[in-house]
Amino acid sequence: MHLSDNTPLPGDGLTQDEIQQAPKVVLHDHLDGGLRPATVVDLAREAGYDRLPATDPQKLGAWFRDAADSGSLERYLETFAHTCAVLRTGEALHRVAAEAVEDLAADGVVYAEIRYAPEQVLGGGLAPRQVVEAVNDGFREGERRAAAAGRAIRVGTLLTAMRHADRSREIAELALAYRDAGVVGFDIAGAEVGNPPERHADAFDHLRSDGAHITIHAGEAVGLDSIRQAVQRCGAHRLGHGVRIADDITVAADGRVTLGRLASYVRDHRIALEVCPTSNLQTGAASSYAGHPIELLRRLRFRVCVNTDNRLVSGTTMTREFQHLVDTFGYGLDEMEWFTVNAMKSAFLPFDERTALIQQVVRPGYAQLRTHRLGRVPAARVPAAA
């Protein structure tokens, strides 16, 4: 096969405001990686936590971003010690959950799946079920606030188990217990090296036997074997990042493309790739925006979507992620809509609900933006009246 000739036309010139206004869908966003810096400072003060590297919100936000720019997944993950340390009470969890929804809605996100690891925020006397209920209540509060501000958004919860620990079966059972109360799926996260997905096969077998939705962090720091285990042994419906699938794709000088068996499997089965461009650069999974495999994967029609990963740690938003892609690859509204529909198709919602959001929210939103753009033709290009 050859690469499809669907390179974006240059010069579409999307503005930041247009990107922000466009309806967006995020499937890979960590609650404990997306706190407002000022909230971290407030919660640390309330909890008596005195280990923050800075107590000025602006300086603290800059510290997180600088610490993440290391090129190492392990170093990137170290920043979460501070955010998790201040999330030890139901009130704190409720607050950050509500604020996360408000912030995403203000950024034009209409559907989000936000993930977190309950085991990372224990230690303050809360039981895992209390953690889940506090966060779910916070998400509902955030939805109400967003709606009141004229920004409707729907949020689902992904419960995450830490891959280096031994609580994955417990978290899997928690996800099943709350799947009719806001929890839409299960994930494992953390350092990939030395912690392969199949280490948690018991949890995944349990989930699969009960028809649960599964996404797995794979193909970020570790290559094809991590992806192979995730999709073929553990039954992942989506891959967190998954960018190393490009290792199984060969592009010849004449443009001829050869997909390996694993890449073909992922594409043929429409296993979504939850790509997070800025985070991928920070952890060394990609060398630059221009060198990121997202454009190759798009042209080969993988089920790829755009995500934030950690808004605080990476200093990003969905608008900024798309802005980088617009600036680098010349993407316009057509490409933005394609990525967004991909994400909505792969959301862990019933089919009719996904379809309704695409037809009633996503596509009309992009159609409205196109109409708005047509109305902004410079006066010099408007034909004179006869």
Side-chain angles (χ1 to χ4, degrees), residues 1-280:
M1 82 181 72
H2 282 78
L3 282 176
S4 59
D5 185 16
N6 59 357
T7 303
L9 295 174
D12 197 4
L14 287 179
T15 66
Q16 180 176 320
D17 183 63
E18 287 173 321
I19 297 171
Q20 189 274 327
Q21 291 296 324
K24 294 175 284 292
V25 173
V26 60
L27 301 180
H28 194 120
D29 186 89
H30 288 265
L31 180 64
D32 52 357
L35 284 70
R36 299 172 182 174
T39 297
V40 178
V41 173
D42 286 348
L43 295 178
R45 185 185 308 113
E46 293 171 5
Y49 181 76
D50 60 1
R51 299 180 184 178
L52 290 182
T55 55
D56 175 79
Q58 186 173 356
K59 291 180 180 179
L60 182 63
W63 178 87
F64 274 105
R65 292 189 292 275
D66 291 343
D69 287 333
S70 64
S72 163
L73 176 59
E74 288 72 18
R75 180 70 184 90
Y76 184 93
L77 294 174
E78 288 177 10
T79 59
F80 291 87
H82 297 297
T83 58
C84 290
V86 301
L87 296 176
R88 292 288 192 266
T89 67
E91 293 78 12
L93 290 164
H94 184 279
R95 174 179 174 177
V96 300
E99 290 179 350
V101 178
E102 287 184 291
D103 293 346
L104 289 170
D107 192 38
V109 174
V110 297
Y111 178 76
E113 290 179 5
I114 305 177
R115 65 189 71 193
Y116 68 96
E119 61 196 275
Q120 292 284 88
V121 295
L122 300 177
L126 292 177
R129 284 178 175 265
Q130 292 175 303
V131 170
V132 174
E133 291 169 5
V135 172
N136 282 351
D137 288 346
F139 286 159
R140 303 292 80 79
E141 174 64 23
E143 290 173 338
R144 289 189 291 270
R145 294 179 191 173
R151 283 285 194 178
I153 183 174
R154 182 172 176 181
V155 176
T157 302
L158 294 171
L159 294 190
T160 298
M162 301 308 297
R163 64 200 311 153
H164 62 272
D166 59 359
R167 303 186 72 159
S168 56
R169 176 61 183 257
E170 175 190 358
I171 303 303
E173 291 176 347
L174 197 62
L176 291 174
Y178 282 89
R179 64 174 167 179
D180 293 324
V183 174
V184 298
F186 175 85
D187 172 41
I188 59 170
E192 274 190 271
V193 177
N195 300 294
E198 65 180 3
R199 181 172 180 264
H200 302 277
D202 176 60
F204 291 116
D205 289 344
H206 182 57
L207 290 159
R208 294 166 71 186
S209 70
D210 218 335
H213 295 298
I214 297 170
T215 179
I216 298 176
H217 279 72
E220 183 183 15
V222 178
L224 298 178
D225 189 53
S226 176
I227 295 174
R228 184 176 294 106
Q229 288 186 34
V231 299
Q232 295 179 340
R233 173 61 186 90
C234 300
H237 303 104
R238 302 194 319 233
L239 292 171
H241 304 287
V243 292
R244 295 291 296 279
I245 196 66
D247 296 352
D248 203 35
I249 302 171
T250 302
V251 182
D254 63 357
R256 187 176 295 276
V257 178
T258 303
L259 270 62
R261 292 189 184 278
L262 183 59
S264 294
Y265 183 94
V266 168
R267 188 175 72 161
D268 292 348
H269 287 78
R270 314 311 293 149
I271 295 170
L273 305 175
E274 304 164 354
V275 172
C276 310
T278 297
S279 172
N280 295 156

Side-chain angles (χ1 to χ4, degrees), residues 281-350:
L281 268 62
Q282 291 175 316
T283 63
S287 58
S288 64
Y289 290 110
H292 197 288
I294 190 170
E295 170 61 1
L296 172 65
L297 297 169
R298 183 192 71 85
R299 295 180 68 185
L300 291 173
R301 288 303 190 254
F302 280 77
R303 180 66 67 79
V304 59
C305 55
V306 177
N307 301 274
T308 51
D309 202 9
N310 299 286
R311 287 170 288 112
L312 167 63
V313 178
S314 291
T316 194
T317 62
M318 284 294 287
T319 294
R320 289 174 186 160
E321 292 300 318
F322 274 115
Q323 184 71 66
H324 289 307
L325 300 179
V326 167
D327 294 343
T328 303
F329 300 113
Y331 290 164
L333 289 175
D334 288 351
E335 288 75 29
M336 281 192 66
E337 182 176 7
W338 184 81
F339 283 117
T340 302
V341 170
N342 271 356
M344 202 64 251
K345 286 180 177 179
S346 300
F348 290 160
L349 286 177

